[in-house]
Amino acid sequence: MLVHAGVADHHMWDAVVPALAERHTVIRYDLRGFGESTPPRSPFRETDDLLRLLDHLGHERVRLVGASWGGRVALDFTLTHPDRVHSLAMLAAPWPRYHWSADMIAYDEAETAALEAGDLDAAVQINLDMWLRGPVRGWDDVADGLADRLRGAVRTSLVNQEIVGQYSQGPASGDLADISVPTLVGVGKLDVADFQDIARRYTAEIPGATLVEFAAAAHLIALDTPTELNAALGPFLAR
């Protein structure tokens, strides 16, 4: 089960799915308000949606792989429904109530200013710069076509951001020390420093968790380095 990032949709996994599908049944979906999924109209939890999807499809236990916000959804699902999870892979997942750096605060302020000014295109570009290009490389270092592939998904996420935030019930509570399934924590070496710190925290607090760093990836590992991601996930998911 692949859960996409908060600036993407299920297409972020396009380059990863073929190799995974050689050995596994692969499911990917759009969270509410992303991609082809309609925005919420009442309070909801992403973990409840995931549970209903698994029940509908008839899957009792799954190997969860989540990116960024999707990584947090996958973690929350593991905390609330441990009997339904075989293994957990979190790629650049956020940490609730983390004390963000000045760079992250500046990004948030820039996005907010663009949206308040009604400049959706500027807000999209701010997010592409932050999450796809990352803080330490230029656009010449990003694979051709990735920005165009992601632009529409980012736009949809921003259009629905307010209503999703209004109705989403937020992250689940739980003790990371209670997680007993095999856990992989992935982070790009070119990502924002905050997420590299968060990845180390998750690795330290989840029993037996393994940290995998992707040298050529920023925040969206599945887009930047799908081959390397599959190489890491292959033996992990086979456990």
Side-chain angles (χ1 to χ4, degrees):
M1 173 64 75
L2 308 178
V3 192
H4 65 77
V7 291
D9 59 25
H10 74 276
H11 288 294
M12 74 168 291
W13 306 107
D14 283 353
V16 175
V17 168
L20 294 179
E22 292 178 0
R23 295 191 175 185
H24 305 279
T25 298
V26 181
I27 304 166
R28 48 182 172 154
Y29 69 107
D30 289 330
L31 295 163
R32 289 206 212 190
F34 295 87
E36 300 174 29
S37 186
T38 58
R41 298 180 180 178
S42 59
F44 77 104
R45 291 190 184 278
E46 285 85 354
T47 51
D48 292 342
D49 287 348
L50 178 51
L51 180 64
R52 283 191 289 268
L53 178 59
L54 293 180
D55 287 344
H56 174 73
L57 296 174
H59 293 284
E60 185 64 28
R61 296 183 72 207
V62 293
R63 294 167 170 83
L64 277 177
V65 181
S68 192
W69 175 241
R72 186 66 216 190
V73 172
L75 173 62
D76 289 350
F77 188 85
T78 304
L79 289 168
T80 54
H81 304 285
D83 57 319
R84 304 298 295 269
V85 180
H86 183 277
S87 62
L88 169 66
M90 304 161 53
L91 310 175
W95 187 285
R97 295 173 294 280
Y98 185 78
H99 294 292
W100 298 108
S101 67
D103 288 342
M104 281 290 292
I105 293 171
Y107 146 76
D108 182 66
E109 290 176 345
E111 180 198 84
T112 299
L115 292 174
E116 289 179 347
D119 195 341
L120 185 57
D121 289 339
V124 168
Q125 189 59 50
I126 288 165
N127 277 274
L128 290 173
D129 287 337
M130 189 68 171
W131 304 121
L132 181 57
R133 176 174 58 83
V136 298
R137 62 181 178 179
W139 278 108
D140 289 343
D141 300 316
V142 179
D144 291 342
L146 282 186
D148 289 337
R149 283 174 49 195
L150 189 61
R151 194 176 304 276
V154 174
R155 190 178 187 89
T156 298
S157 73
L158 290 172
V159 167
N160 295 328
Q161 179 174 264
E162 184 175 355
I163 193 167
V164 170
Q166 176 184 346
Y167 286 126
S168 174
Q169 298 302 288
S173 60
D175 191 343
L176 297 179
D178 291 337
I179 295 177
S180 60
V181 299
T183 302
L184 182 150
V185 179
V187 68
K189 294 285 284 183
L190 306 180
D191 199 356
V192 182
D194 301 57
F195 282 92
Q196 297 180 44
D197 175 59
I198 289 170
R200 289 188 288 270
R201 287 195 186 191
Y202 277 129
T203 305
E205 296 205 18
I206 297 175
T210 299
L211 176 65
V212 178
E213 298 177 304
F214 297 86
H219 191 69
L220 302 174
I221 299 167
L223 292 178
D224 273 333
T225 54
T227 300
E228 291 79 358
L229 177 57
N230 274 323
L233 289 177
F236 174 75
L237 296 177
R239 296 170 64 176

